[in-house]
Amino acid sequence: MIDILHRNNVKVSGQGVIPMLFAHGFGCDQSMWRLMTPAFEQEYKIVLFDHVGFGQSDLKAFVPGKYNSLQAYADDMLEICEELDLREVIFVGHSVSAMIGVLAAIKEPDWFQKLILIGPSPRYINDENYVGGFNAEDIEGLIDFLDSNYLGWSSVMAPVIMANPERPELGQELTNSFCRTNPEIAKNFARLTFLSDNRSDLPKVHTPSLVLQCAEDVIAPATVGEYVHEQLPNSKLIFMKATGHCPNLSHPEETIAAIKNFL
Amino acid sequence: MMSRVDYKEYILESAEDLYENAPCGYVSFLPDGTIVKINKTLLNWLGYSRKEVISKKKFIDFLAIGGKIFYETHFTPLLKLQGFANEINFDLLPKENAPVPVLANTVQLRNENGEPQMNRVTLFNITDRKKYEQELLLAKKKAEEATKVKADFISTLSHEIRTPMNAIVGITDILLNTGPTPAQLEYLNILKFSSESLLNLINDILDLSKMEAGQATLNPHIFNLRELVNSILYSFTVKAEEKNILLEVFIDEQIPAYINADEVKIGQVLTNLLGNAIKFTDQGAVKVSLDLLGYEKDAVNIHFRIKDTGIGIPEDKLTLIFEEFAQATADTEQQFGGTGLGLTITKRILNLFNSKIDVQSEPGRGTTFSFDLKLKIGKATTSRSGINQNSAMAAGLLKGIKLLLVEDNSINIQVTEKYLKDWGVTYEVARNGLQAISKINQTDFDLILMDLQMPVMDGYEATRWIRNLPEPKYRQLPIIALSASAKSDIDQKIKECGLTDFVNKPFKPEELHHKIALYGRKK
């Protein structure tokens, strides 16, 4: 029997009953939610996890051949829901995990009550009559980039221990690593993410959804957010003031307010 | 004397100068990326004027698309979570020239509420370092390729040599049975001895090149350790009797009979050491002992020792003997023969088992080689323990079996035919895979011996064809591969195309006899 909670480094907290499941995107781990979760701890049960290959997930669980589609990551997430017996889940997914949440909600529609999609994109590469923001060579550029940072990664992404005199409350967490990734797994995930095309999945979702679209987001431009909103039958779109691709980190208050409003 | 005022100005000016003209690039940008400060060095690298950059460009604007994605997905979150990010390799895009690879060390400055106010980046130009890095990577790749080419070359060459050796060894055996004159008998024995030595040398080289290329792996299966030791010992009894030395064996009774390990490699080690011991001993005894060291969960630790009363090895040569092609003295080869590869291979095989060989020796009194192996205990299976060689070769056992020999090499056909005739096997010969298929359409064979490398249609292709014929009996028809390639190299292909079993060329008559009996006689 696989220990799913260990595999995905699952962390449960909060005083509420209704579960909020937070899924991190490409490039980070569950620590990217740390500015958001305190706002929901009183009312909800907070479930955090790391995708296999990221953060403190069990690297041994990365079986070659298993993780060759985003569906595999969606299935991992459903296994977490099953293990913790989560129902009526409020799903919060960032970046590629927004799409992973969509895939999970299609497979088990009854388990999810709401989907909150931060910076989602069903396809990153431009296509006929579709602007994803990238062309195929750009993605090769990213893979090259990841290759050239291969040596750097071992030091940059490795555990960092530091004190933080200005914000002692963060000290504890800072002794852990942030966004630790295995370079090979990250490259695989990059390919899966940026070569995925989940446009045809969007109309299959009937769960009420919120799309949060940032300004000046290189990874998921505004046109993509609009497209997702058009294709998702039961969705609401909010354009945020926040710039960049990680409003949960750069503009947590605005992000929290938008989510609370929706809930 | 400088006045105090001058002095201060001098410091201020030099701080400014240090910032602007430092050998590294400095850039400060707001949390949204807008650049608010940049030094001359970086502007020179980028080929922009200060006016074009300040408040007009964002840091991300100077990154190629891959870097942009990394910046948004990795760099920004890391900076926010950690307050700094060191040694990130970016390629900056200058106005005109080729991209400049840099290492970026970034600190995030925050106000008392912990809100990010500014990011300050120090950039090291690593253009040269990058070049070296790429050259190093290239050199590494080339070196690895060269090793592989060497291993492949040796492997191919060995296979090529093994095929004609098959003919030489086989024909020599046949000639020995034709009633030669005493002089001819002597020459034939030398021919037999030399060709067998050559074959051993080729096999040793092949083993060694595999181990050097890191291709050698352990292939464990369950076998009877006692039987293995005894059969190896048995194979040396003739030699030991010739030299009139005593051959003894001791196996601790508590050592389990069945072991799950690589039988072939353990056998190789024992054969090498025992062969040496007998070769270098002229009087006295050679003793093999297996002592139990202890049990460990599902494994057993065994101490193997091969002790002789031979010529011994001088102390200063004790390490030398494990080197390739080295022997204790220069005239060892003339006196005793051998390739000088045996102990090298033995040592490397033991490495695979995470074990080390130990040697104790005293010139004139003898040598003891020993090593410890931790081996998994195996459960006894229904004995596949082989061939009772005396009865297996019994005449008449194979009589009436209808066999098809598929082989393109005339000498190999001649050698194989000789044995088939002796054994009373009824056979036909096909020269390639295509001929084989047309033959089996005419005759109902019990068994096919299939060479793998053939013109027109090779053995793999032919086997696939036969397996795909409509009649179900062709799925059952035993097809035994005959090949000079090492089995482990082609194992996968053999299974895929549906071959039943495998016999190495040059074949041992007993083995071929056994396989024909095993598969051909089941009616």
Side-chain angles (χ1 to χ4, degrees), chain B residues 147-257:
Chain B
T147 313
K148 198 179 170 293
V149 167
K150 184 183 136 200
D152 286 351
F153 172 74
I154 292 176
S155 166
T156 313
L157 189 69
S158 308
H159 290 164
E160 292 301 317
I161 297 173
R162 270 209 251 185
T163 306
M165 281 309 293
N166 174 34
I168 297 173
V169 172
I171 293 285
T172 310
D173 277 339
I174 294 172
L175 282 175
L176 279 167
N177 286 325
T178 52
T181 65
Q184 283 171 339
L185 182 68
E186 192 192 335
Y187 299 148
L188 283 172
N189 275 328
I190 295 170
L191 181 60
K192 185 178 156 82
F193 176 79
S194 306
S195 49
E196 277 173 357
S197 304
L198 187 54
L199 202 57
N200 284 338
L201 173 65
I202 294 162
N203 288 337
D204 281 357
I205 291 175
L206 196 59
D207 278 348
L208 198 63
S209 77
K210 265 191 188 172
M211 276 187 250
E212 273 187 348
Q215 288 169 353
T217 47
L218 296 175
N219 300 311
H221 66 95
I222 293 169
F223 69 97
N224 188 321
L225 181 64
R226 287 159 195 279
E227 270 180 24
L228 174 71
V229 175
N230 284 325
S231 74
I232 290 171
L233 227 69
Y234 181 76
S235 68
F236 282 106
T237 43
V238 179
K239 263 186 201 155
E241 273 166 23
E242 272 173 15
K243 297 182 82 172
N244 200 21
I245 50 179
L246 205 61
L247 206 49
E248 291 177 84
V249 62
F250 167 80
I251 302 175
D252 193 317
E253 276 178 11
Q254 284 176 290
I255 291 175

Side-chain angles (χ1 to χ4, degrees), chain B residues 341-401:
Chain B
L341 282 176
L343 284 175
T344 313
I345 292 169
T346 302
K347 189 179 152 192
R348 302 225 180 154
I349 292 176
L350 288 174
N351 276 347
L352 291 175
F353 282 97
N354 285 322
S355 177
K356 264 190 181 163
I357 191 155
D358 182 63
V359 55
Q360 306 282 334
S361 187
E362 210 179 313
R365 315 232 16 199
T367 308
T368 304
F369 284 95
S370 63
F371 57 92
D372 296 342
L373 288 185
K374 182 177 161 184
L375 302 171
K376 268 203 170 152
I377 299 166
K379 287 198 186 83
T381 52
T382 41
S383 173
R384 47 155 222 114
S385 82
I387 337 151
N388 184 336
Q389 300 198 347
N390 297 328
S391 66
M393 293 281 277
L397 194 67
L398 305 185
K399 210 160 203 162
I401 291 179

